[in-house]
Amino acid sequence: MKENYSELFPDHRLDNLDLEELRQCQLIILRILKVVDHICTKHSLTYWLEGGTLLGAVRHGGFIPWDDDLDISMPREDYEKFLAIAKDELPEDLFAQNLQSTEFAGNTWTQIKDRKSMIILSEDAKYHQGLYMDIFPMDVYSDNFFKRNLYEKIHKFFYIRVQAINAPLKKPFFKGSNFIKNVIRLIFKIVFFIFAIFDYNKIYNMNLKSREKRIESMKKNPKTNYGYATDVLNWENIFRFEDIFPVKRIKFEDGEFCVPNDYHAVLTSLFGSDYMDMPPEHKRVQHNIRIKSVLTKEEEEKLNEGFY
């Protein structure tokens, strides 16, 4: 039976209108984390705060002051179990978006989206643009250096690149920076996959089949090295089992949430040994073009059109 989330984790966005817009949005995303934490605890699933969110927990006791999203990671097996139950467990104002649920989802991993807010990252996006929390799957990488770097990581590289090459051209096609981006993308389409111009589904299904085969192979590796999965762009860090497990809970905002066992080792790998130092002012930037914590009825209907 679905939990009564309006009682467990009430939505207070209308009570927070006197706060700065960014802070209002952070509190909405914090509620998403509380819901996901509750579901993971209920079903004995493992997760931990990730990236900038982990850094915020350790350095600030909550969000990095200028941050506008939230990141967690899950081992592949727990990630798959979570996705299998998410539709039944999440409250109606939240939903999980990924390439398996939404064509051109915008990311190859999963995001839990809020249906009643807005974050604009791209003016021509086809994906849902509600405030979100990222969930990154973590795969088990081989102990063998050559298998890990010449097979598993190279396959990850090509999976991500093929997804990018196969994405549609940005509209308007010939306006501003879109023109240069579209020319580059078109060149890659022609050089690597000429039929990507004509047959998206063929490329997508071929790439998905390769991904699934690789994931099943990596599940058989000894659980000694964890790294960002095939689905996660850019991040290549590998962590030892004991860096992550067993996870423990520390303060984040007004609650306690799971973090890696040796979060110092993880943060040092991600951000360097000086991770506790504040970055210069010009690097304290948000991801969004604009954000909005409370929508009109018309804005909410437009935001969710096609995403039920």
Side-chain angles (χ1 to χ4, degrees):
M1 186 176 72
K2 185 174 288 191
E3 306 272 9
N4 186 343
Y5 286 102
S6 61
E7 292 185 1
L8 283 171
F9 308 108
D11 184 348
H12 290 300
R13 75 187 70 200
L14 295 179
D15 301 325
N16 296 325
L17 296 178
D18 58 329
L19 301 176
E20 181 186 1
E21 187 78 40
L22 175 59
R23 184 57 181 164
Q24 293 180 47
C25 291
Q26 288 178 343
L27 294 176
I28 290 169
I29 305 168
L30 177 62
R31 177 176 174 270
I32 300 176
L33 174 61
K34 290 178 178 179
V35 170
V36 171
D37 173 77
H38 180 80
I39 293 171
C40 287
T41 301
K42 176 181 176 181
H43 292 276
S44 300
L45 302 178
T46 298
Y47 81 90
W48 57 90
L49 301 186
E50 180 59 72
T53 304
L54 177 60
L55 177 59
V58 174
R59 193 170 69 193
H60 303 276
F63 285 97
I64 293 174
W66 55 90
D67 211 357
D68 56 10
D69 69 353
L70 194 153
D71 305 321
I72 69 170
S73 282
M74 292 182 181
R76 173 67 67 177
E77 292 85 348
D78 296 82
Y79 178 81
E80 292 177 346
K81 290 175 184 176
F82 178 84
L83 294 184
I85 62 176
K87 189 171 184 179
D88 292 329
E89 289 281 359
L90 289 171
E92 292 181 356
D93 59 326
L94 302 178
F95 78 103
Q97 183 173 70
N98 51 46
L99 283 177
Q100 284 67 56
S101 67
T102 307
E103 190 175 21
F104 307 127
N107 290 295
T108 47
W109 56 89
T110 292
Q111 295 181 317
I112 306 301
K113 298 290 184 86
D114 177 73
R115 294 187 181 278
K116 298 181 178 181
S117 61
M118 187 181 299
I119 179 167
I120 304 299
L121 303 176
S122 172
E123 296 290 0
D124 60 349
K126 294 185 177 182
Y127 50 82
H128 190 280
Q129 297 212 75
L131 288 166
Y132 63 90
M133 181 181 78
D134 288 312
I135 305 181
F136 299 126
M138 299 286 278
D139 283 330
V140 181
Y141 284 81
S142 174
D143 285 327
N144 183 289
F145 175 86
F146 295 100
K147 182 180 179 183
R148 183 171 68 245
N149 291 283
L150 299 181
Y151 174 70
E152 294 170 345
K153 284 193 174 183
I154 285 179
H155 272 74
K156 170 181 175 174
F157 174 86
F158 279 109
Y159 170 76
I160 296 291
R161 294 310 179 275
V162 169
Q163 286 299 117
I165 291 167
N166 201 36
L169 300 180
K170 290 180 172 292
K171 295 181 180 179
F173 300 123
F174 304 109
K175 185 176 181 180
S177 63
N178 284 356
F179 175 73
I180 297 174
K181 292 177 182 177
N182 285 335
V183 168
I184 294 172
R185 185 168 290 176
L186 191 58
I187 290 172
F188 273 103
K189 285 177 182 285
I190 293 170
V191 171
F192 290 101
F193 291 100
I194 182 66
F195 49 103
I197 301 173
F198 307 105
D199 193 346
Y200 165 81
N201 287 324
K202 186 169 184 177
I203 293 290
Y204 177 79
N205 291 331
M206 181 181 71
N207 209 28
L208 190 61
K209 185 176 180 180
S210 170
R211 167 188 175 273
E212 291 170 349
K213 181 179 179 180
R214 185 165 57 263
I215 288 171
E216 290 306 311
S217 172
M218 294 175 76
K219 286 179 180 178
K220 299 174 184 177
N221 287 332
K223 294 184 177 181
T224 52
N225 302 302
Y226 280 79
Y228 298 101
T230 290
D231 317 78
V232 183
L233 181 65
N234 294 331
W235 292 0
E236 300 296 334
N237 308 67
I238 299 291
F239 308 104
R240 299 170 302 171
F241 176 91
E242 55 268 28
D243 291 339
I244 305 295
F245 305 102
V247 298
K248 55 191 177 185
R249 299 179 83 90
I250 67 171
K251 181 180 182 298
F252 182 85
E253 296 291 340
D254 62 352
E256 291 190 346
F257 301 94
C258 297
V259 299
N261 178 51
D262 188 350
Y263 55 75
H264 172 70
V266 172
L267 287 171
T268 299
S269 175
L270 290 173
F271 301 108
S273 59
D274 60 349
Y275 66 82
M276 290 297 286
D277 296 341
M278 292 285 282
E281 288 281 352
H282 71 275
K283 290 189 176 181
R284 302 178 192 182
V285 296
Q286 300 173 25
H287 299 86
N288 70 82
I289 298 173
R290 61 183 182 276
I291 52 177
K292 191 172 183 181
S293 61
V294 178
L295 305 180
T296 66
K297 182 178 179 181
E298 291 75 17
E299 287 173 328
E300 189 175 323
E301 288 176 351
K302 183 178 179 181
L303 173 74
N304 292 293
E305 186 177 355
F307 294 104
Y308 287 98

